[in-house]
Amino acid sequence: MTQELAPTLRDQPAARSAGWWRDAVIYQVYVRSFADSDGDGIGDLRGVRDRLPHLADLGVDAVWLTPFYASPQADGGYDVADYRSVDPLFGDLRDAGDLVGEAHRLGLRVIVDIVPNHTSDRHAWFRAALTGGPGAPERGLYHFRPGRGEQGELPPNDWESVFGGPAWTRTDTGDWYLHLFAPEQPDLNWEHPAVREEFTSVLRFWLDLGVDGFRVDVAHGMIKAAGMPDIGMREQAKMIGAQVLPFFDQDGVHEIHRSWRRLLDSYDGERIGVAEAWAPTPERLALYVRPDELHQAFNFQFLTCDWDATAMRGVIDASLAATRSVGAPTTWVLSNHDVVRHTTRYGGGPAGLGRARAAALLALALPGSAYVYQGEELGLPEVADLPDAVRQDPAFFRGDGQDGLRDGCRVPLPWSGSSQPFGFGPGGSWLPQPDSWKELTVEAQTGDPGSTLELYRSAIALRKELPGLGDGEMEWLPAPEGVLAFARPGLVCTLNTLSAKAPLPVPGRPLLSSAALEFTGGTARIPGGTCVWWAV
Ligand code: GLC
Ligand code: MG
């Protein structure tokens, strides 16, 4: 039986090629909620800088910072009023430079968010477009259109905002402007050369400051179908990622990414671009990471996959096949600032946490690059019961109260101590933290071998040590129903997705397990919802 699980993988050094990003572990910092240095209850750049040692200890390769630019914060900073300045909430340009410098000193790369699909309605361009009236040249930088109906009282087409309601808002002069997100986020017109020139210059600004790359927000949205045709269906947000829409995943976006790749390549130090792209299939997603486009794209199919062995295997195979076809690495993403934390998605409570720990070991064992969203290394659950009065997510105010409640995954991190704000900063915390988080602080988990934090630390450290992890090939091994088993060079990874224990022939020496194992003779009893790494 032992032989059944033995790896037959050929060593494939040829599959490995240069590029730090091909197997990087990238940690997402949601700046507002990571660490606060000045006591205003809102995380900031100095707070991040002061806590960088936590990330160095964790062993990640890079940090992705969510937007910290000047912004009225209508959508947590994804509404940028000035792309070349830091919002006073988060610090100033010097703090940004210090943060990048300190990260580099600790061996961490820094990726910043760039938001090209839309600006804030307070951006100088949009203000000029509004105040200048219908003849203002700045109107050409956005999508202004006359309305339909006798008096132009109906929106120009039937497109809906991702946050709910129409994607159009009427101006005082009677025409309408397009915003695929909140009304405070007017969409830019990427057919206009000035828009392209401006973003090239903004990217240069941050590259010159030393950043190692960009996470490209809504990388699938910049180009709209010619003529902006009606869709003819309601609840369009539910189709995002399921089909090409006239406002998402249009082929024209790729030319923009190609030009950005040329710009990135003109700098030294392997600067990268990461696409936040919701594409209907892994094949269409792979188009964003062709050799002359961006380096990585978030694999949302993996994030949205159910806790089910067959479904997971299908997504893993499809993701790897698609990225392999273009020579790019796959990314493994379980959580981010827009979705319910995976501990809760996988059922919550001890079982949900167990699965989340197992999923982390799975993600870190698969070929490619892995993302860690702040707090998942602490096993934080979603905070579901926030009072409406403290919520800030624009989706909450525009939606029907069902979807799009994104504040619950954005609650500030617990660092230390036994009462709020748990070391988040010298003041309070912009969203209340549950009292139970005193058990989940970095301080409480450090040194506890059973803690989720130590599990992540061990897994990331092993990933660096073992040459068979990271970039390269994998091979499925036979396994009972509900169990996944695959080989990487020198390692076998097994995941029991069932709730019951699964007996398995011992495939090797256990290196790391997300829960305690039992052995009888040559058989290991893997608890439900557990992932194990075995040395072979
Ligand atoms: C992306 C961001 C999300 C933001 C949206 C609009 O999806 O991740 O937080 O609301 O873009 O910029
Ligand atoms: Mg602050």
Side-chain angles (χ1 to χ4, degrees):
M1 284 281 279
T2 311
Q3 258 163 358
E4 252 182 37
L5 279 175
T8 55
L9 199 68
R10 288 171 308 275
D11 216 5
Q12 305 215 20
R16 291 173 166 265
S17 65
W20 67 270
W21 42 274
R22 296 191 70 87
D23 57 8
V25 179
I26 303 181
Y27 184 99
Q28 179 186 355
V29 166
Y30 190 74
V31 176
R32 172 179 279 266
S33 304
F34 188 71
D36 175 28
S37 72
D38 60 3
D40 65 355
I42 296 180
D44 44 49
L45 295 180
R46 291 173 78 112
V48 179
R49 191 196 59 188
D50 293 347
R51 293 291 191 181
L52 285 175
H54 169 66
L55 304 182
D57 282 351
L58 190 57
V60 301
D61 301 289
V63 183
W64 147 33
L65 303 168
T66 54
F68 49 78
Y69 315 109
S71 161
Q73 305 292 322
D75 180 20
Y78 283 96
D79 49 318
V80 181
D82 179 355
Y83 290 85
R84 293 182 188 78
S85 73
V86 173
D87 197 282
L89 263 186
F90 302 123
D92 57 25
L93 269 179
R94 214 186 135 133
D95 295 327
D98 286 351
L99 168 52
V100 172
E102 180 63 6
H104 286 169
R105 208 182 59 75
L106 292 169
L108 299 164
R109 307 209 187 218
V110 180
I111 291 169
V112 296
D113 228 301
I114 187 81
V115 189
N117 180 67
H118 43 263
T119 67
S120 159
D121 61 345
R122 309 282 177 81
H123 190 284
W125 279 358
F126 194 73
R127 296 192 73 90
L130 278 192
T131 53
E138 287 81 2
R139 290 212 162 191
L141 302 168
Y142 295 89
H143 299 284
F144 283 84
R145 294 283 185 282
R148 295 200 278 205
E150 266 170 43
Q151 258 81 52
E153 72 282 8
L154 299 172
N157 69 17
D158 68 356
W159 294 2
E160 292 168 0
S161 151
V162 173
F163 293 156
W168 298 89
T169 289
R170 201 170 190 189
T171 69
D172 291 345
T173 52
D175 55 359
W176 300 71
Y177 69 89
L178 176 71
H179 52 86
L180 295 180
F181 294 87
E184 295 86 357
Q185 294 167 295
D187 276 52
L188 283 164
N189 172 16
W190 274 83
E191 311 288 352
H192 198 299
V195 171
R196 296 187 182 225
E197 278 162 32
E198 170 65 359
F199 272 87
T200 303
S201 156
V202 168
L203 294 181
R204 281 189 182 286
F205 179 86
W206 291 102
L207 290 167
D208 291 339
L209 190 126
V211 305
D212 299 285
F214 301 95
R215 176 263 190 190
V216 184
D217 188 62
V218 197
H220 54 303
M222 285 103 98
I223 297 294
K224 279 71 182 175
M228 299 194 166
D230 278 340
I231 294 175
M233 275 177 89
R234 301 286 326 268
E235 304 207 307
Q236 294 157 15
K238 297 207 168 121
M239 292 187 268
I240 297 169
Q243 64 181 74
V244 174
L245 292 166
F247 52 75
F248 276 164
D249 198 30
Q250 291 289 311
D251 291 334
V253 297
H254 294 289
E255 192 195 315
I256 300 168
H257 300 315
R258 278 194 283 272
S259 74
W260 287 11
R261 177 61 180 260
R262 287 193 294 276
L263 178 66
L264 291 166
D265 285 348
S266 74
Y267 280 78
D268 61 1
E270 292 193 296
R271 321 278 179 116
I272 69 164
V274 185
E276 185 223 14
W278 291 85
T281 60
E283 290 74 27
R284 281 201 68 87
L285 186 64
L287 299 177
Y288 291 81
V289 289
R290 284 176 285 189
D292 59 347
E293 295 201 25
L294 301 177
H295 298 72
Q296 294 184 341
F298 296 116
N299 184 357
F300 292 126
Q301 312 256 350
F302 183 67
L303 184 153
T304 54
C305 183
D306 287 341
W307 184 259
D308 171 84
T310 311
M312 289 164 118
R313 183 171 168 157
V315 167
I316 291 168
D317 281 340
S319 311
L320 288 170
T323 48
R324 197 181 294 128
S325 72
V326 293
T330 304
T331 62
W332 307 105
V333 185
L334 292 165
S335 277
N336 66 30
H337 64 292
D338 292 329
V339 301
V340 172
R341 283 187 178 276
H342 57 276
T343 302
T344 302
R345 275 198 338 259
Y346 290 148
L353 177 60
R355 289 173 172 186
R357 291 163 53 97
L361 290 197
L362 171 68
L364 290 165
L366 289 168
S369 173
Y371 278 79
V372 175
Y373 173 53
Q374 68 177 40
E376 73 168 78
E377 80 279 23
L378 304 176
L380 295 188
E382 182 83 358
V383 181
D385 52 357
L386 288 169
D388 288 359
V390 303
R391 288 189 182 272
Q392 306 238 349
D393 182 3
F396 174 71
F397 301 103
R398 283 178 64 79
D400 57 8
Q402 297 288 316
D403 301 322
L405 305 184
R406 299 177 300 174
D407 290 312
C409 64
R410 299 176 178 179
V411 173
L413 288 195
W415 291 93
S416 60
S418 53
S419 58
Q420 288 198 50
F422 300 114
F424 171 62
S429 147
W430 70 279
L431 286 174
Q433 301 148 306
D435 286 334
S436 55
W437 282 16
K438 61 174 177 287
E439 320 271 323
L440 298 178
T441 63
V442 172
E443 183 183 56
Q445 296 196 41
T446 295
D448 171 358
S451 73
T452 302
L453 177 57
E454 294 298 350
L455 181 74
Y456 270 77
R457 284 179 175 155
S458 305
I460 295 170
L462 275 174
R463 196 179 140 98
K464 279 201 181 137
E465 265 167 45
L466 302 173
L469 288 180
D471 200 17
E473 297 295 319
M474 65 170 276
E475 188 171 306
W476 292 110
L477 302 172
E481 200 169 330
V483 175
L484 295 178
F486 60 90
R488 310 283 327 258
L491 182 121
V492 164
C493 177
T494 56
L495 173 72
N496 177 8
T497 65
L498 306 171
S499 323
K501 284 187 184 162
L504 275 192
V506 174
R509 180 169 57 86
L511 275 176
L512 191 61
S513 175
S514 64
L517 304 172
E518 288 164 26
F519 294 92
T520 13
T523 303
R525 295 169 66 78
I526 319 276
T530 299
C531 186
V532 190
W533 291 3
W534 311 86
V536 293

